[in-house]
Amino acid sequence: QSNNMNKQPRVFIFSNNALSKENANGKTLVHLLHSFDPENIAQFYIRPEIPQDHLAARYFRITDKEKLNAFFHPKKELGKEINLFIDKEYSSKHEKRLFSKKKWIETGWARWQREKIWQKRGNLTGFHQFFVSFKPDVILLYASRSAFMIRLATDFSLQYGIPLILFTGESEYFHKVPWYQLFARKCLKNLQKSYQYATSVASKMVLTHEKLTNLFKKEFPIPAQTIWQSSEAASISETNPANASIKFLYAGNLSPTLRRHESLMEIADTLGKINPSYSLDIFPTNTTPKILALLKAHPNMVIHEPVSSDELANIMASAQIVFHTESFSKKLKPLIEYGFSSKIPD
């Protein structure tokens, strides 16, 4: 193992989410780097969350709240290195309160304000010292809809002469925004410029499926490679017990903007017509009380409390059919055309 460690490049990740098996973005990164020794991985991220143990050697975090406070304390160093043993207590006390608030960054106006806030870098002395001390061989940028993150990673690549690899499973660069959504259009244009900047510097792009790779290849003249999402889920028998407690299962994101709950209600309607005793068991994340109330009122749905990723894997293994669905609305279909859920590999 020590020989393998010495051969591996030291990877520094820029991403919104911390490495974790409990959220889609974090899990995608974990699986992408599953063959790397954690000692060869460090990460910068911005969500107010704590990574899981033993996935990387070191972490540095600057949250939106800290960035906003920098307006009032411009000389104060931003962010800190996360100690998994000490900072877990912070997470357990404050995480629920932070995430229970309305997600204000959903709107075009709020997203634009967030980009403006992050444009003013502030005092990043501690972060630069952290980056240099890790001595990375390559920067891995998980590009999402945050233009400021793409620019920050690209700036570090140029400043320190470290090769940049751009990784994404998102197609937002190619989305169309109605003319009347002024701030959403400004955000999209800003995002497109950040991609153009990053691809002028990056050594290559890595995409999550072939259709997305072909789309980006037509747009950017840099090498592009497909690495399909993987999974740590253990292989199971194709035949499940007929008396399994959960026969039909959906687990995942039910944000109101995705409108997946509408498709799930249609599935439950159909199951009820086939056999009134059938029910669709749902383990929802990232949803609202209104959507939960709708689903709980359906006679052929059973709503469960959140469980850990390991426990959910066992539940998925015992189910006879696991569903994944998207909205079929005309408005959303073009936006999810290139999507690939992290649950599908599982």
Side-chain angles (χ1 to χ4, degrees), residues 26-42:
K27 185 165 68 172
T28 298
L29 280 171
V30 169
H31 291 167
L32 180 70
L33 298 170
H34 74 278
S35 63
F36 277 70
D37 191 286
E39 290 301 312
N40 290 321
I41 301 172

Side-chain angles (χ1 to χ4, degrees), residues 29-304:
L29 280 171
V30 169
H31 291 167
L32 180 70
L33 298 170
H34 74 278
S35 63
F36 277 70
D37 191 286
E39 290 301 312
N40 290 321
I41 301 172
Q43 184 186 30
F44 166 72
Y45 69 97
I46 62 174
R47 291 294 297 271
E49 58 196 21
I50 300 298
Q52 286 184 297
D53 292 344
H54 312 305
L55 299 176
R58 298 172 66 188
Y59 301 90
F60 197 95
R61 182 186 68 192
I62 302 174
T63 65
D64 288 314
K65 184 178 180 180
E66 290 169 336
K67 195 70 185 67
L68 186 60
N69 288 340
F71 276 106
F72 307 101
H73 308 281
K75 294 183 179 181
K76 183 180 179 181
E77 284 190 18
L78 284 167
K80 67 172 184 175
E81 183 168 358
I82 297 298
N83 185 313
L84 295 183
F85 298 101
I86 296 173
D87 292 313
K88 272 183 179 179
E89 184 66 20
Y90 170 88
S91 178
S92 64
K93 285 183 177 180
H94 300 280
E95 207 68 4
K96 188 173 182 180
R97 177 174 58 83
L98 286 165
F99 280 98
S100 65
K101 294 181 180 179
K102 183 176 175 60
K103 291 195 172 181
W104 59 275
I105 60 172
E106 294 279 339
T107 66
W109 179 86
R111 284 179 57 201
W112 180 247
Q113 298 307 313
R114 187 188 191 207
E115 290 288 343
K116 300 297 284 185
I117 289 169
W118 276 92
Q119 270 183 14
K120 298 184 183 298
R121 291 285 166 82
N123 187 347
L124 298 181
T125 302
F127 179 39
H128 279 272
Q129 291 172 346
F130 174 87
F131 181 88
V132 171
S133 68
F134 181 70
K135 300 179 181 178
D137 298 308
V138 64
I139 293 173
L140 177 64
L141 163 63
Y142 192 165
S144 60
R145 66 190 332 197
S146 301
F148 63 83
M149 181 67 75
I150 298 173
R151 285 196 173 91
L152 183 64
T154 308
D155 287 346
F156 268 65
S157 173
L158 285 171
Q159 181 173 344
Y160 293 102
I162 307 295
L164 173 67
I165 295 176
L166 193 156
F167 170 72
T168 190
E170 311 262 353
S171 63
E172 189 161 346
Y173 178 94
F174 302 96
H175 289 179
K176 307 295 182 184
V177 178
W179 63 268
Y180 53 85
Q181 294 183 7
L182 176 62
F183 287 104
R185 287 175 66 85
K186 289 169 76 72
C187 287
L188 178 59
K189 188 174 181 179
N190 189 38
L191 181 68
Q192 290 170 336
K193 286 182 177 179
S194 70
Y195 264 93
Q196 291 157 9
Y197 174 44
T199 53
S200 72
V201 173
S203 304
K204 71 184 303 179
M205 295 185 73
V206 175
L207 295 311
T208 54
H209 59 86
E210 203 65 34
K211 189 174 181 181
L212 192 61
T213 300
N214 293 334
L215 187 67
F216 274 97
K217 276 183 175 179
K218 293 176 183 177
E219 186 74 14
F220 300 111
I222 67 169
Q225 176 184 356
T226 301
I227 298 182
W228 290 86
Q229 294 185 51
S230 61
S231 172
E232 292 181 341
S235 59
I236 59 171
S237 169
E238 293 183 5
T239 305
N240 291 300
N243 61 351
S245 59
I246 293 179
K247 290 181 169 31
F248 308 105
L249 171 70
Y250 171 85
N253 189 342
L254 290 183
S255 166
T257 57
L258 297 175
R259 296 175 60 178
R260 288 176 179 169
H261 64 285
E262 297 172 0
S263 298
L264 289 174
M265 292 180 77
E266 291 182 28
I267 292 171
D269 288 341
T270 303
L271 288 175
K273 290 175 183 177
I274 295 171
N275 186 330
S277 69
Y278 285 168
S279 63
L280 177 60
D281 287 78
I282 297 177
F283 289 80
T285 60
N286 193 31
T287 191
T288 64
K290 183 178 179 181
I291 288 177
L292 285 177
L294 275 174
L295 301 182
K296 287 178 180 179
H298 196 289
N300 297 98
M301 283 186 169
V302 178
I303 312 303
H304 297 265

